[in-house]
Amino acid sequence: MPELMQISANELKFLVKRSAEGLGFSPGDQLSAGIKAAVAFQLGLANSHLLVKGLDALNSAIRAPLLLASNDQELMFDAQGQSALVQVELALGLALAKAVPRLHIKHLVAAAFAVPCLMNWLAQPLNQASAQQCYALYFTHHSGAQRCVLIAADGQLLGLYQPLQTIVEMDELLLCMGQADIEGVLITDGADLLGWRERCLDQGVYLEATLISRLKHMMQASLVPETEASRAGAGPG
Amino acid sequence: MSQIILRPASQAMDLERLGAGFSSRLSFMRTLVRHMVQDQWAISYSQFELDDLGYGHAVFDIKMPHSQLSLVVFSQYLAPEERNDRVIAEKWDLTMTLVEGEMDDAWLERLSKNVPLQEAGRIDSRSLCLSRGNRSARIFDSLLEQLRSGVQPDPKKLAEVGYLYRTTAVYGSGKFGACDWDKIARHHPDLARPFSAEMLVCYLLRQFSLDQLHHMVHQPDYPNAVDLDMDLQRYLGIGNSTGLGMAPYLINHPLLMSQWIGQREQAYAEVLAEPVEQAQLTRLKLVLEQAMQHVREVSTFDAWQSKNNVQLLIDAQELSDWLSSEDQKVNDWRQLHEWAQQHYSLETQELLVSLLLELYPDIVNPKEDQLAINESLTYDPTQSAQNLADSIQESYDWVFDYDFTEADENQTFWYYSQEKMEPRLGKTDIDDGAEVQMFLGIAKAVQACHNDLLTMMQQSHDVSVAEFLLQKPIHLGIVNRIATMAQTQYGEIRANLLHKDVLPMHLLRCKLAFFGVSKFDPKSALWVRNTMFQGAPVVGDLKHEFNDDWYFPVAPIIGGKHQPNA
């Protein structure tokens, strides 16, 4: 069994943010990565294995997902193998702005990290609120199984489901707007997901110790050797 | 009551003005002490296991109305050559952690193996804060000698330092395994105000410093030993040195900043609208005199701060003389405010803000519960790009005051140092590392975003923010910020932190004033010495009647004849 370490959500956010910074991502992506990682852990949608996958896929040479196709019914993006820790909001945002019923993002690694982003947007009053019943996000869970998170139009989590059929490929995200029900088995309802989150707020989240070491190593790239001039007068800090 | 008029953000958020601020009724230390008294907190030692040299451990038991905490303090020998206030230090005189509930032996044992190591150890989510402090050997040892001999110290000597211990770091917000702020806010409502837990640690460190001193004083070999005079005990605070590490905080937490400034400005505007009554006028004269004496007692070799202090004393004396003269006629507080704006230095103007807030606890105190906020910077992807551009024009007009084609406006960059992970300033034309600089150039980023918005809208007017960001993803961070902060009145500090002559000191003082520290003593443009909780009631005072009047502490008069530096 790998050694687990308890850390706070804020510490996880900080470590992931600074790791993204070390890889050369923009300030918006850095912060977004940190928040998505922390919230996904708190909701039980991510574990160390998924975060490792998400970190492995981070590629700052990719600027944004590519829009492959667009019509009234569907948007299709290619994330080009990028991690959902970053940039996924660019595609999700366009889907909300255009109010298309379906959004497909192909080649998106660790797609579960997209969930906090959508929840956050729906929880605020949007300028052009889509009169949709519910939002269903399909992705592959860290267990390897298909999962769907159902989110109410106000951002409330309604539940985590296992779809009855294969809906998405391994590295793919599907957002269906206006979906009232899921053809699948309810695994955890919204109250339990939030209960998990409450427990994590109280007790922190658990990461493999080797992953924490890796994050600390990654963030080193965002540090700069200080010069004598910059040290001068900087005091005891 | 006349009309309530808020100071505009262009004034209240000016960096130099923020750097001229003083502590006030809304400062976190004041708020904490007020609640400890009002809510009848019960603070006592459940363990006090120190040897005759003061080494060992102690546990404070803290009973608040809604929950119970413990502060565990470890005291160890530290060789003088090992005493180092820098972040790289690995050993301290005192180390401590604030934890939930009561302490048991197994937990204490675990903490004893981790807390003295600080960053190199590990605490868990039952801890709220981790901290350490170093002794001011100079004053501690001489005080010990004198009290053991039955002699009270010279208050003047005591005032030169003002504390027995200095904090060198107080870590909260989930660092090193401690719990998140959200947990404190939900489970410990008595501490659900910004930095309350951190301030509590500093307050109890101060108490421990006095109790440890007395424990060492009253050893069997010293039959004539006496306690330190109570007024002198209250006059001792906790030393603090604050450097660049604190500066980026105010930029990285604009919503919190907006809340702090907004509540203070609202309180000030309400106070200015109050009718002037003789009782308040008399009180203003008293608090002004106290503030002037406090400033006279500030010891600093910093030329800039000394000059500011001198000017403040000249202004304040003039104001005091006028308030005491027979022909003065203060019709309303706004008149006084406007006079100060036209005739006095920034520090005097901001001192007047703090003093006027003192006069109206009923207006000001309730605002202390509005200082915390859920921080989330987020944009609306469905909003039109035109709306975003309009928000920039309306709320960020100040960013267009800077010409970023000028080298001077871009010459500084902020980075985290490899050696200590502490913020440092670099020069773009000299130092490497600008490519990984911190995101503190808000004015520059907003300008760049605005330029790209205009270019895109020239091609098509009917564009959403989502479409804009898909084309220009580099602006994701600043769009989140603009969209959120455009809905607030305060929050953005109006300055270009990339300018070659940027003065981080203003940021430090602004935050420290909200903390409630006193005796600002800059040691360079980048760090400042100050004192926490000087003049505050000691734990034994908390159960007695409380006047909430420990602002602008002045040295006590012992034996009716001495007043240091007066």
Side-chain angles (χ1 to χ4, degrees):
Chain A
M1 284 285 284
E3 183 195 350
L4 293 178
M5 272 181 76
Q6 173 247 309
I7 68 172
S8 69
N10 200 40
E11 196 169 7
L12 176 58
K13 183 178 93 172
F14 172 79
L15 288 170
V16 173
K17 174 185 178 289
R18 294 294 295 279
S19 298
E21 188 178 348
L23 291 171
F25 281 94
S26 72
D29 279 328
Q30 294 163 23
L31 187 57
S32 168
I35 292 171
K36 283 179 204 153
V39 177
F41 263 81
Q42 287 181 321
L43 292 172
L45 298 174
N47 63 2
S48 293
H49 173 70
L50 190 76
L51 184 54
V52 166
K53 227 178 134 188
L55 293 172
D56 286 343
L58 283 171
N59 180 355
S60 60
I62 299 170
R63 288 178 60 248
L66 287 175
L67 181 59
L68 300 176
S70 169
N71 58 47
D72 290 349
Q73 294 303 307
E74 187 172 57
L75 291 180
M76 175 82 77
F77 277 93
D78 181 352
Q80 308 168 82
Q82 183 64 283
S83 166
L85 285 167
V86 294
Q87 300 171 358
V88 68
E89 50 269 64
L90 301 173
L92 288 169
L94 192 67
L96 290 180
K98 289 187 173 297
V100 292
R102 286 166 70 90
L103 165 71
H104 243 109
I105 311 177
K106 293 180 176 298
H107 306 123
L108 177 70
V109 177
F113 289 117
V115 175
C117 177
L118 185 64
M119 281 172 60
N120 185 41
W121 268 332
L122 296 177
Q124 62 171 331
L126 295 175
N127 192 44
Q128 297 168 27
S130 307
Q132 305 288 354
Q133 263 184 301
C134 290
Y135 294 72
L137 270 173
Y138 294 87
F139 55 89
T140 303
H141 191 242
H142 54 71
S143 64
Q146 297 267 304
R147 288 287 185 271
C148 172
V149 169
L150 192 64
I151 308 172
D154 63 358
Q156 290 285 323
L157 272 179
L158 298 176
L160 178 69
Y161 293 80
Q162 172 151 4
L164 295 179
Q165 297 172 0
T166 300
I167 307 285
V168 288
E169 301 295 323
M170 175 59 87
D171 287 334
E172 194 176 11
L173 182 79
L174 174 66
L175 168 64
C176 296
M177 303 190 202
Q179 197 158 342
D181 203 4
I182 304 295
E183 283 188 27
V185 179
L186 177 67
I187 296 173
T188 315
D189 67 18
D192 281 348
L193 285 169
L194 291 178
W196 179 265
R197 187 175 191 182
E198 303 257 310
R199 276 196 298 281
C200 289
L201 278 176
D202 289 353
Q203 297 165 16
V205 296
Y206 285 85
L207 262 71
E208 289 178 11
T210 51
L211 175 55
I212 294 179
S213 299
R214 179 184 173 184
L215 286 164
K216 286 181 176 170
H217 180 72
M218 284 177 77
M219 64 183 271
Q220 290 294 317
S222 70
L223 307 177
V224 177
E226 64 185 28
T227 61
E228 203 44 51
S230 71
R231 248 302 302 156
Chain B
M1 191 176 182
S2 56
Q3 195 185 354
I4 292 170
I5 306 168
L6 290 166
R7 290 199 289 185
S10 57
Q11 186 179 45
M13 299 309 293
D14 174 70
L15 180 58
E16 204 179 341
R17 181 176 291 277
L18 290 170
F22 288 88
S23 64
S24 78
R25 274 194 172 279
L26 286 176
S27 295
F28 309 146
M29 289 179 208
R30 290 285 298 282
T31 301
L32 174 71
V33 171
R34 209 153 48 225
H35 278 274
M36 286 197 291
V37 176
Q38 283 172 5
D39 302 338
Q40 299 182 313
W41 291 24
I43 299 175
S44 58
Y45 286 104
S46 60
Q47 299 183 41
F48 194 82
E49 306 293 333
L50 301 186
D51 64 19
D52 54 0
L53 296 173
Y55 305 128
H57 75 271
V59 180
F60 282 100
D61 178 52
I62 306 143
K63 289 190 173 70
M64 306 177 293
H66 298 94
S67 61
Q68 183 177 356
L69 303 172
S70 298
L71 180 82
V72 188
V73 185
F74 297 100
S75 168
Q76 65 179 351
Y77 171 74
L78 188 63
E81 63 274 17
E82 289 183 297
R83 190 170 287 117
N84 184 344
D85 287 358
R86 293 180 62 186
V87 173
I88 50 170
E90 292 177 349
K91 216 172 166 193
W92 302 267
D93 286 303
L94 300 181
T95 53
M96 64 217 80
T97 182
L98 182 67
V99 300
E100 297 181 297
E102 289 180 33
M103 188 53 44
D104 61 46
D105 290 345
W107 192 7
L108 184 64
E109 174 72 13
R110 191 168 344 136
L111 291 175
S112 72
K113 291 187 172 128
N114 284 280
V115 172
L117 301 178
Q118 296 282 291
E119 290 96 329
R122 197 73 189 163
I123 49 178
D124 63 30
S125 62
R126 290 175 293 177
S127 279
L128 282 67
C129 292
L130 181 70
S131 182
R132 70 271 190 129
N134 279 340
R135 186 182 290 182
S136 172
R138 178 167 53 123
I139 193 150
F140 195 98
D141 292 346
S142 73
L143 197 51
L144 189 61
E145 291 270 307
Q146 288 172 301
L147 295 176
R148 279 174 169 172
S149 311
V151 175
Q152 290 295 327
D154 178 357
K156 185 173 180 178
K157 292 276 181 217
L158 213 54
E160 284 171 5
V161 178
Y163 54 81
L164 298 176
Y165 277 88
R166 298 178 295 274
T167 63
T168 65
V170 185
Y171 295 114
S173 296
K175 290 191 182 74
F176 310 117
C179 71
D180 281 307
W181 157 255
D182 304 271
K183 181 180 185 181
I184 297 175
R186 287 180 331 124
H187 291 320
H188 304 288
D190 303 297
L191 295 176
R193 296 179 199 87
F195 293 97
S196 273
E198 289 87 345
M199 295 299 120
L200 176 59
V201 170
C202 295
Y203 178 77
L204 292 179
L205 166 59
R206 175 210 192 213
Q207 185 62 45
F208 177 81
S209 73
L210 294 167
D211 296 333
Q212 184 197 38
L213 174 76
H214 286 131
H215 170 79
M216 294 165 71
V217 163
H218 293 289
Q219 292 298 320
D221 290 347
Y222 309 100
N224 299 323
V226 293
D227 277 2
L228 181 64
D229 176 272
M230 276 311 298
D231 284 337
L232 289 176
Q233 288 190 40
R234 293 184 191 103
Y235 186 61
L236 287 175
I238 279 296
N240 175 255
S241 292
T242 294
L244 276 182
M246 201 180 259
Y249 184 92
L250 298 180
I251 310 296
N252 290 333
H253 297 268
L255 275 173
L256 201 54
M257 184 72 180
S258 174
Q259 212 62 16
W260 296 359
I261 302 284
Q263 292 304 315
R264 187 195 66 187
E265 291 302 312
Q266 180 65 33
Y268 186 52
E270 289 177 28
V271 164
L272 291 185
E274 285 292 307
V276 176
E277 290 171 4
Q278 189 54 45
Q280 270 89 18
L281 206 50
T282 305
R283 179 136 175 78
L284 176 62
K285 288 183 218 168
L286 285 174
V287 294
L288 179 61
E289 288 299 327
Q290 182 171 340
M292 288 165 65
Q293 180 58 24
H294 170 85
V295 174
R296 284 187 203 107
E297 291 179 11
V298 171
S299 167
T300 179
F301 292 107
D302 181 75
W304 172 72
Q305 188 60 56
S306 295
K307 192 175 138 208
N308 287 344
N309 290 350
V310 167
Q311 186 58 51
L312 180 142
L313 287 172
I314 292 169
D315 292 345
Q317 188 61 57
E318 184 188 303
L319 178 60
S320 174
D321 291 346
W322 182 71
L323 288 172
S324 302
S325 66
E326 287 181 3
D327 58 344
Q328 70 82 7
K329 186 98 182 115
V330 181
N331 296 318
D332 60 55
W333 295 126
R334 181 156 289 283
Q335 174 199 357
L336 198 60
H337 161 80
E338 282 166 7
W339 171 264
Q341 287 224 315
Q342 288 161 18
H343 296 90
Y344 297 152
S345 69
L346 278 183
E347 284 210 11
T348 314
Q349 292 174 37
E350 293 308 301
L351 175 66
L352 188 62
V353 173
S354 289
L355 297 183
L356 287 176
L357 294 183
E358 283 302 325
L359 310 183
Y360 293 93
D362 292 345
I363 291 175
V364 180
N365 292 4
K367 293 184 170 48
E368 70 198 11
D369 291 325
Q370 309 299 321
L371 296 174
I373 189 170
N374 182 21
E375 293 184 274
S376 169
L377 300 179
T378 186
Y379 68 97
D380 176 354
T382 71
Q383 190 188 32
S384 74
Q386 181 64 57
N387 278 354
L388 184 64
D390 291 345
S391 293
I392 292 173
Q393 291 285 358
E394 286 163 20
S395 302
Y396 283 86
D397 54 334
W398 58 275
V399 307
F400 300 106
D401 293 344
Y402 308 107
D403 179 358
F404 288 101
T405 61
E406 295 285 332
D408 284 0
E409 299 288 4
N410 301 282
Q411 211 175 323
T412 299
F413 71 93
W414 298 62
Y415 64 89
Y416 284 106
S417 78
Q418 211 170 62
E419 289 76 6
K420 293 160 61 185
M421 287 184 52
E422 280 289 300
R424 293 275 176 262
L425 296 184
K427 293 294 174 195
T428 48
D429 53 349
I430 300 172
D431 301 317
D432 294 329
E435 67 282 0
V436 288
Q437 65 181 289
M438 293 183 220
F439 183 48
L440 300 181
I442 303 305
K444 186 176 184 180
V446 173
Q447 265 199 30
C449 176
H450 190 252
N451 289 341
D452 282 343
L453 270 171
L454 294 186
T455 303
M456 191 167 184
M457 287 189 304
Q458 279 171 357
Q459 293 153 9
S460 170
H461 260 288
D462 188 20
V463 179
S464 65
V465 171
E467 286 166 302
F468 170 67
L469 284 175
L470 201 54
Q471 293 296 314
K472 298 286 180 185
I474 188 76
H475 297 310
L476 177 65
I478 199 66
V479 167
N480 269 321
R481 188 172 181 117
I482 294 165
T484 308
M485 298 313 297
Q487 296 170 47
T488 66
Q489 182 150 12
Y490 305 105
E492 291 291 11
I493 294 172
R494 299 189 174 206
N496 171 28
L497 298 190
L498 309 182
H499 191 273
K500 75 176 176 64
D501 296 327
V502 65
L503 265 180
M505 179 56 63
H506 294 319
L507 295 168
L508 307 185
R509 171 139 170 194
C510 172
K511 192 175 176 198
L512 290 168
F514 272 98
F515 278 13
V517 309
S518 55
K519 303 275 176 76
F520 295 105
D521 178 16
K523 294 298 177 186
S524 79
L526 308 179
W527 73 285
V528 58
R529 277 223 170 112
N530 55 81
T531 315
M532 308 172 76
F533 288 108
Q534 196 173 25
V538 296
V539 165
D541 294 329
L542 297 180
K543 51 184 175 291
H544 301 132
E545 197 175 328
F546 175 62
N547 291 325
D548 190 16
D549 61 353
W550 60 278
Y551 48 83
F552 297 112
V554 297
I557 300 167
I558 303 296
K561 56 182 180 185
H562 185 74
Q563 206 159 4
N565 302 337

